[in-house]
Amino acid sequence: MENMLNVYLFGKKYQVPAGLTIMTAMEYAGYELVRGCGCRNGFCGACATIYRIYGQQELHACLACQTEVQEGMYVATLPFFPLVKQIYNIEEIKPDTQIMMQLYPEIYSCIGCNACTKACTQELNTMQYIAYAQRGEYDKCAEESFDCVMCGVCSSRCPAGISHPQVAMLARRLNGKYIAPECEHLADRVNEINEGIYNEKMAELMAKSVDNVQEIKDLYNSREIEK
């Protein structure tokens, strides 16, 4: 095959085609990813990976599903980052400034180094949404952190030991429960689904062959979008 690259997976050398992601390169090399990763019957954000390039000292963090292999890449995946996950009942807490102090007081030890933002695999402004959480601006924190996949790479670089993804999750839950306006049309749509109005259309869609990807894409792209 043309344009093969030399990569090192867990210390062993492999030749893989250029253009593959780290995840697909691992599968090309014979690794079977059967659990953990979101696109492999697990959860998104679980493919956190560290790598460096031969001859370079810098250590990079990324998601294996969205990062292409490079020549001389040394790869090691991570099982998880040990984030602090506090237990709470969303029905019993309120969106005030005290709740963050009670559950995640370490956010007030942030030194503003911005290492979390630089490490984010989704290029989120992580330090900014932590600042919103500090001020109790949970709607802004929820918006800023919306695309977080909770891989935990940001927390691995934090000298204050902040569990950024869990702070963001709490903010999004508080925002959805108490702050964001109620979405009436969503409740109506759920009722319509429960009443079976879309059963026929769903059955028709489920009958489509997964091998005919283009047909499914065309259906999606030509769908009617309500205003």
Side-chain angles (χ1 to χ4, degrees):
M1 297 179 66
E2 296 182 359
N3 201 13
M4 300 293 284
L5 302 178
N6 296 305
V7 299
Y8 298 81
L9 305 176
F10 308 104
K12 187 175 180 180
K13 182 179 178 180
Y14 295 91
Q15 283 197 325
V16 301
L20 297 183
T21 63
I22 293 175
M23 185 177 291
T24 52
M26 290 177 65
E27 292 175 322
Y28 178 89
Y31 289 91
E32 186 177 4
L33 307 177
V34 295
R35 62 183 177 86
C37 302
C39 45
R40 301 295 189 276
N41 301 311
F43 63 92
C44 189
C47 65
T49 299
I50 55 175
Y51 71 90
R52 69 175 181 86
I53 305 301
Y54 178 77
Q56 300 179 12
Q57 293 182 332
E58 185 177 1
L59 190 65
H60 304 270
C62 68
L63 294 181
C65 65
Q66 64 185 28
T67 305
E68 289 190 5
V69 292
Q70 302 176 47
E71 174 65 30
M73 177 183 275
Y74 283 77
V75 175
T77 59
L78 302 168
F80 60 88
F81 283 106
L83 301 174
V84 175
K85 182 181 180 180
Q86 299 294 358
I87 305 300
Y88 53 85
N89 186 337
I90 194 65
E91 302 290 343
E92 297 176 356
I93 62 176
K94 299 298 180 184
D96 51 35
T97 54
Q98 285 73 37
I99 192 61
M100 279 294 175
M101 177 62 77
Q102 294 171 12
L103 295 176
Y104 296 104
E106 63 273 14
I107 68 172
Y108 299 98
S109 299
C110 174
I111 61 174
C113 67
N114 210 31
C116 53
T117 300
K118 294 177 182 177
C120 180
T121 58
Q122 297 293 91
E123 299 183 351
L124 301 180
N125 194 343
T126 310
M127 191 176 76
Q128 180 61 65
Y129 77 63
I130 290 298
Y132 287 141
Q134 291 172 333
R135 298 195 292 266
E137 298 179 272
Y138 301 126
D139 54 341
K140 294 181 180 179
C141 181
E143 179 68 24
E144 195 72 44
S145 68
F146 187 79
D147 289 327
C148 175
V149 296
M150 306 194 69
C151 67
V153 171
C154 54
S155 298
S156 73
R157 300 294 181 90
C158 180
I162 298 172
S163 292
H164 310 73
Q166 294 295 346
V167 172
M169 177 63 75
L170 174 56
R172 292 195 296 274
R173 287 172 173 168
L174 289 170
N175 183 59
K177 176 68 175 178
Y178 297 107
I179 302 172
E182 184 176 352
C183 187
E184 296 181 359
H185 73 277
L186 177 60
D188 293 339
R189 184 53 52 84
V190 171
N191 289 332
E192 291 174 356
I193 293 173
N194 291 332
E195 292 169 1
I197 293 177
Y198 303 101
N199 287 353
E200 184 176 345
K201 290 184 178 180
M202 289 296 294
E204 181 181 346
L205 182 61
M206 292 298 292
K208 301 289 184 183
S209 173
V210 293
D211 296 327
N212 194 345
V213 177
Q214 189 57 50
E215 181 184 7
I216 297 175
K217 286 184 177 180
D218 291 341
L219 285 172
Y220 178 81
N221 292 328
S222 62
R223 71 194 187 282
E224 181 180 352
I225 301 177
E226 295 182 1
K227 296 182 179 181

